Amino acid sequence: MTRRKIVAGNWKMNGSLESVVELVQGIQTYATLDVVVAPSFVYLPVVSNMVRDTDIKVAAQNASEQAKGAYTGEVSLSMLQDFSVSHVILGHSERRSLYGETDAQVAQKVAATLAAGLTPILCIGETLEQREAGITLDVCQRQIDAVLDVIGTEEFAKVVVAYEPVWAIGTGKSATSEQAQEVHKGIRDHIAKRSETVAQVVAILYGGSVKASNSAELFAQADIDGALVGGASLDVQEFNSIIESAK
Ligand code: PEP
């Protein structure tokens, strides 16, 4: 089955108003794939406005699982809807490790995002210690099951999974295409135990030091449906080359 490729740029807490505008102006799109950018919350209004007549889609880097109320510093899904956000990155390893987000909380966020009609980009992945202990797939399966158990198998078809080995994020040390494909296949096989149809539909992106020099090889793998790109998405030429290699 051919799944539509997705290339998403996670800009994290980087950029300025000026650099974000410049980046968006330079991004190229192709009819054959989805290009998604995830600026900081404060730049969402500007970016959403800029991409209105383009094929670029906009993601938030997080969202609250709560609808509204006394949650200082949080941003709700309905607020994101006001700015035509289509995707929400959830459970990024930085959110899990630095802000203590648990599997259960990430599952609630995914459920709330789907209920709002937005697409969750669910980040999963193992630490170096877990890889060396040989429990990479167990960790990924646990993170996926936490979400599956809350939203149900059918709804999982609307989730985009981003497999991001923690040891490869921002380190310049990408997983090899073989290592990545092995885990992507393991994730898809795991979902297939619940539903073969859902497993075939779900897009599984790879993230972790993706750059122009390794993206084509990663995208050539049967179960790699695109990438979640951090550092390289801040350089418009580099990001465009990654996008081009997915078309
Ligand atoms: C990320 O943070 O999602 C990521 C993949 O970062 P990088 O590409 O910089 O490793």
Side-chain angles (χ1 to χ4, degrees):
M1 135 141 221
T2 42
R3 288 170 295 270
R4 192 174 164 84
K5 289 227 172 8
I6 303 168
V7 176
N10 175 12
W11 296 344
K12 310 192 186 187
M13 199 175 73
N14 289 301
S16 61
L17 183 54
E18 197 185 347
S19 72
V20 161
V21 166
E22 211 175 297
L23 250 178
V24 175
Q25 281 169 342
I27 292 173
Q28 298 203 331
T29 58
Y30 299 92
T32 47
L33 74 149
D34 287 335
V35 174
V36 184
V37 294
S40 156
F41 283 125
V42 293
Y43 299 130
L44 284 175
V46 169
V47 173
S48 293
N49 206 26
M50 284 184 75
V51 304
R52 190 172 294 154
D53 297 320
T54 75
D55 289 329
I56 299 173
K57 296 175 193 297
V58 180
Q61 297 175 17
N62 184 26
S64 175
E65 66 276 33
Q66 308 294 342
K68 64 173 183 171
Y71 301 102
T72 301
E74 291 289 283
V75 173
S76 74
L77 283 149
S78 66
M79 291 169 183
L80 297 178
Q81 285 172 313
D82 281 342
F83 295 100
S84 312
V85 167
S86 56
H87 293 66
V88 187
I89 298 172
L90 294 169
H92 189 281
S93 73
E94 287 151 17
R95 301 282 334 157
R96 292 179 191 260
S97 66
L98 302 174
Y99 303 101
E101 287 189 11
T102 61
D103 286 349
Q105 189 181 10
V106 172
Q108 292 305 324
K109 286 175 183 250
V110 171
T113 300
L114 289 170
L118 275 59
T119 302
I121 301 178
L122 167 65
C123 302
I124 61 169
E126 83 288 2
T127 62
L128 185 58
E129 205 180 19
Q130 290 165 330
R131 172 160 284 262
E132 285 172 352
I135 55 169
T136 294
L137 265 182
D138 302 273
V139 171
C140 293
Q141 289 172 2
R142 187 202 74 220
Q143 290 170 333
I144 293 231
D145 285 343
V147 174
L148 270 166
D149 290 345
V150 168
I151 67 169
T153 307
E154 298 311 312
E155 279 291 279
F156 203 85
K158 299 178 195 160
V159 173
V160 172
V161 174
Y163 166 59
E164 301 205 301
V166 178
W167 49 272
I169 296 177
T171 59
K173 193 175 173 235
S174 173
T176 64
S177 48
E178 292 77 18
Q179 280 175 323
Q181 166 59 21
E182 189 184 357
V183 181
H184 281 232
K185 184 173 185 311
I187 293 166
R188 205 178 297 288
D189 287 347
H190 183 65
I191 300 167
K193 286 182 227 149
R194 305 225 189 181
S195 164
E196 181 63 42
T197 314
V198 172
Q200 287 310 314
V201 166
V202 167
I204 309 178
L205 315 185
Y206 169 77
S209 298
V210 173
K211 33 195 180 282
S213 58
N214 62 13
S215 58
E217 202 185 321
L218 286 160
F219 297 158
Q221 305 302 311
D223 291 290
I224 299 183
D225 305 314
L228 180 55
V229 187
S233 68
L234 292 163
D235 177 323
V236 77
Q237 279 179 359
E238 189 79 10
F239 193 48
N240 278 339
S241 300
I242 295 169
I243 293 167
E244 203 185 335
S245 67
K247 77 174 197 251

